[in-house]
Amino acid sequence: MTLSNTFNLEPGLFGLKHSNRDFTLQDAWGKNCFNSSFPASLCSYLHSQNLDNIYIKLNSNLQVEHSTISTAMFYGIDPSSDNIFYSFETQFTPYQPYVIGSLPGVDLVTQARDIGSCLQAIEIKLTALPDNTTCNLAEHFYGCEIVIRPDTIVYLACSIVNTLRLNSSTMEILMDERFTEISDWSDPIYVIPHIPQMLDSIDSLSFSMLEYQQPFLMQPIWKTEGKSPKLIDNCLDVFVWSNLAFTRLFIDLTKREIRKFGYVRAISRHTRTLIWLFKMLYDFSLSGSFNHGKIIDNLSYNTKNDKAFAVSGIFTHAYMKSESLRQPRIQKKEIQRIILGGGQNLLSPERRFDAIIYNSPDLFN
């Protein structure tokens, strides 16, 4: 991919030559499309600049550490290849055998055009830096809020199952007889006493799978001047979470509560997410599949299922702290190399990042 793409006369996004979205049409620039298609393009643009993504992964101490991952490794194919196809909001069909019922869609599936194979399932979270919990702090404490939907947990479970199925001895970690004592998984009274064992089981699984962890969630960041809507000069970068590192966002919060009070007092969203994940893995260990719809609907614990959980920038800062968080590597003047052919004029400014680009014509001078 060369920067000659920036002179494309039709609206488009850098690198997204073949996809299930037609970027010459305004519908492809709506609020539910832009937040996944722009990040996919940004990742491709990083590759064109010989830059890797920041990779957040789990180490042998079950703590996150940073390395790098190329977009080619992340996508499972060279993003400059004419063979890559970007399929947005579709199913990653290799995971279908693991679930009962219909597999939900995922934000992005990369595919090989020549054989039609699915390569990578990618969840995408385009996040603002700073969020409203860190915008009044010193710049080196800025952080991003992350809001996670239930379908993301389904794909998290599938990504772990995809490794577990190859190692039956590892799967035995889940088969603790104490879990058979849970007569009603929908009743907190029966579930709460077993949460420490669930944590131990997932930690043991994670430790056994460290060398097989895989990229799972793309988190591009866009940085503004404090809480103003004005982009700073160095405003864009991409973080990629491995599936195992991502689990720490809700597991560590549950552990924090246990350390503070000695037990889980009530099932919060992050603890419910732990239970969802464990139940999906547990059911797979017993029968070779899991009913994600039934698990999410029945194990609601009187909390709405509109989202799985959310974590603030104060919390995520510790996991993402880096030079790229402090000073993202892509400058705002480069946005005109990513959004092509006047595509910014098709944006519907209903979300903050869309609105900033729409109302910043100077970016495209």
Side-chain angles (χ1 to χ4, degrees):
M1 190 68 58
T2 67
L3 293 183
S4 61
N5 285 270
T6 61
F7 300 104
N8 187 346
L9 296 178
E10 289 188 328
L13 285 162
F14 182 90
L16 305 193
K17 181 179 178 181
H18 306 291
S19 84
N20 61 344
R21 289 177 176 165
D22 183 351
F23 295 107
T24 66
L25 303 178
Q26 189 161 13
D27 286 349
W29 297 84
K31 63 180 182 179
N32 293 325
C33 294
F34 186 75
N35 283 358
S36 55
S37 55
F38 178 83
S41 177
L42 175 60
C43 228
S44 179
Y45 178 77
L46 280 175
H47 178 82
S48 76
Q49 301 300 297
N50 296 315
L51 295 172
D52 290 339
N53 307 278
I54 299 95
Y55 191 28
I56 305 175
K57 56 192 296 190
L58 205 61
N59 64 23
S60 58
N61 294 318
L62 299 185
Q63 297 176 334
V64 300
E65 64 179 20
H66 289 194
S67 60
T68 60
I69 185 169
S70 68
T71 300
M73 184 68 68
F74 183 24
Y75 282 178
I77 186 173
D78 187 337
S80 64
S81 167
D82 194 54
N83 196 33
I84 185 172
F85 186 86
Y86 296 85
S87 187
F88 294 97
E89 296 180 27
T90 54
Q91 297 172 325
F92 187 72
T93 53
Y95 286 167
Q96 182 61 57
Y98 308 150
V99 303
I100 296 172
S102 179
L103 187 71
V106 65
D107 289 322
L108 172 62
V109 175
T110 56
Q111 298 178 335
R113 295 176 62 226
D114 56 354
I115 56 176
S117 60
C118 295
L119 302 174
Q120 183 70 274
I122 301 171
E123 286 289 293
I124 300 175
K125 290 296 169 185
L126 179 60
T127 55
L129 178 72
D131 72 340
N132 62 2
T133 69
T134 59
C135 61
N136 293 320
L137 302 178
E139 187 178 14
H140 58 278
F141 289 119
Y142 282 179
C144 303
E145 180 188 37
I146 305 176
V147 180
I148 298 300
R149 62 195 182 110
D151 287 350
T152 302
I153 309 307
V154 178
Y155 271 87
L156 176 64
C158 286
S159 71
I160 294 173
V161 159
N162 200 47
T163 299
L164 281 182
R165 67 185 177 85
L166 302 176
N167 192 335
S168 57
S169 61
T170 301
M171 203 179 305
E172 291 174 3
I173 294 172
L174 299 164
M175 300 179 184
D176 191 317
E177 290 186 0
R178 287 174 291 183
F179 295 119
T180 62
E181 299 171 4
I182 304 176
S183 58
D184 184 356
W185 282 82
S186 67
D187 191 333
I189 292 176
Y190 296 104
V191 175
I192 286 177
H194 294 275
I195 288 174
Q197 285 110 26
M198 294 181 196
L199 288 167
D200 288 344
S201 294
I202 292 180
D203 277 354
S204 297
L205 273 181
S206 298
F207 187 81
S208 70
M209 292 171 56
L210 287 175
E211 63 180 302
Y212 304 108
Q213 64 187 302
Q214 61 189 62
F216 171 70
L217 183 141
M218 180 203 302
Q219 186 192 353
I221 61 169
W222 53 278
K223 186 176 181 181
T224 59
E225 294 181 1
K227 57 183 177 182
S228 79
K230 185 177 181 181
L231 292 172
I232 67 166
D233 286 337
N234 286 75
C235 61
L236 292 168
D237 219 318
V238 179
F239 290 75
V240 173
W241 294 75
S242 81
N243 54 350
L244 299 186
F246 177 78
T247 65
R248 299 300 109 180
L249 289 176
F250 53 90
I251 284 177
D252 287 354
L253 278 172
T254 302
K255 288 181 177 179
R256 179 186 293 184
E257 182 178 355
I258 292 175
R259 285 195 300 268
K260 183 176 181 179
F261 300 104
Y263 60 96
V264 172
R265 297 180 299 168
I267 297 178
S268 60
R269 285 186 186 273
H270 56 264
T271 301
R272 185 182 67 176
T273 300
L274 163 70
I275 297 167
W276 284 352
L277 175 62
F278 179 82
K279 188 65 163 67
M280 292 173 190
L281 299 179
Y282 180 65
D283 285 359
F284 182 84
S285 73
L286 296 178
S287 62
S289 63
F290 60 86
N291 190 326
H292 59 91
K294 184 177 179 180
I295 290 170
I296 291 171
D297 289 343
N298 291 353
L299 310 187
S300 65
Y301 306 112
N302 298 315
T303 302
K304 290 182 179 180
N305 289 340
D306 56 326
K307 62 183 177 183
F309 69 97
V311 282
S312 72
I314 289 178
F315 182 76
T316 64
H317 177 266
Y319 299 82
M320 299 175 66
K321 183 179 179 181
S322 60
E323 181 60 23
S324 291
L325 189 68
R326 190 191 69 79
Q327 181 171 300
R329 293 169 293 172
I330 301 303
Q331 297 183 329
K332 66 180 181 181
K333 65 183 181 182
E334 295 176 82
I335 293 175
Q336 64 180 313
R337 302 176 186 170
I338 303 171
I339 298 177
L340 310 174
Q344 72 277 7
N345 298 316
L346 299 179
L347 286 168
S348 299
E350 300 175 53
R351 297 240 175 135
R352 288 179 61 192
F353 190 50
D354 311 38
I356 285 174
I357 292 178
Y358 185 83
N359 292 302
S360 301
D362 56 296
L363 294 176
F364 301 89
N365 290 338

